[in-house]
Amino acid sequence: MPLQFDANGHLFPYDTISITMEEVEEYFVFNEHRLGLYLSLKQFIRAVKKLGDAYFVKMYAAEHPKHNFSKFDELDWYHFLTKDRKRRPKGIVKIQLLKA
């Protein structure tokens, strides 16, 4: 499904939208500057994979005793990232790195 953007250029719907690296390239790499950013992102991902146990939001299964910590962390990031500086809503891209 194609990504949608509102009049401000923000992702719509205003929620977390899962996309692949191929879709990142398709939708967000449209000039030389963004190509540089994309290549830096790919290099960063390769470096993090070499480190092994690195994470941004550690997710625990629903039955795990620390599951609530995952939800608090996820909600904190969610609320921080779903508004721009003028408090206008925007969506979040969740890049799928692992093949399902």
Side-chain angles (χ1 to χ4, degrees), residues 3 19 22 30 33 35 37 49-50 53 55-56 60 62 64 67 69 86-87 91 93 95-96:
L3 293 181
I19 64 173
E22 291 79 16
F30 50 79
H33 175 71
L35 175 61
L37 293 172
K49 284 182 178 180
K50 286 181 185 176
D53 189 23
Y55 67 92
F56 297 105
Y60 293 97
H64 193 282
H67 175 71
F69 292 112
K86 294 182 180 180
R87 307 290 302 149
V93 168
I95 302 172
Q96 300 169 2

Side-chain angles (χ1 to χ4, degrees), residues 10-77:
H10 296 149
L11 278 171
F12 182 83
Y14 307 126
D15 203 354
T16 303
I17 301 164
S18 294
I19 64 173
T20 63
M21 282 300 288
E22 291 79 16
E23 291 170 311
V24 170
E25 185 174 6
E26 178 184 343
Y27 286 99
F28 298 105
V29 180
F30 50 79
N31 63 32
E32 199 138 333
H33 175 71
R34 287 188 171 231
L35 175 61
L37 293 172
Y38 176 71
L39 294 174
S40 294
L41 173 63
K42 287 178 76 170
Q43 182 179 5
F44 172 76
I45 290 168
R46 281 192 299 274
V48 168
K49 284 182 178 180
K50 286 181 185 176
L51 292 175
D53 189 23
Y55 67 92
F56 297 105
V57 176
K58 192 161 192 164
M59 301 302 293
Y60 293 97
E63 62 277 356
H64 193 282
K66 292 186 178 180
H67 175 71
N68 285 339
F69 292 112
S70 292
K71 295 312 290 176
F72 292 139
D73 204 12
E74 183 179 21
L75 285 171
D76 188 40
W77 278 107

Side-chain angles (χ1 to χ4, degrees), residues 27 45 52 54 77 79 81 84 90:
Y27 286 99
I45 290 168
W77 278 107
H79 288 292
L81 295 171
D84 69 7
K90 62 180 184 174

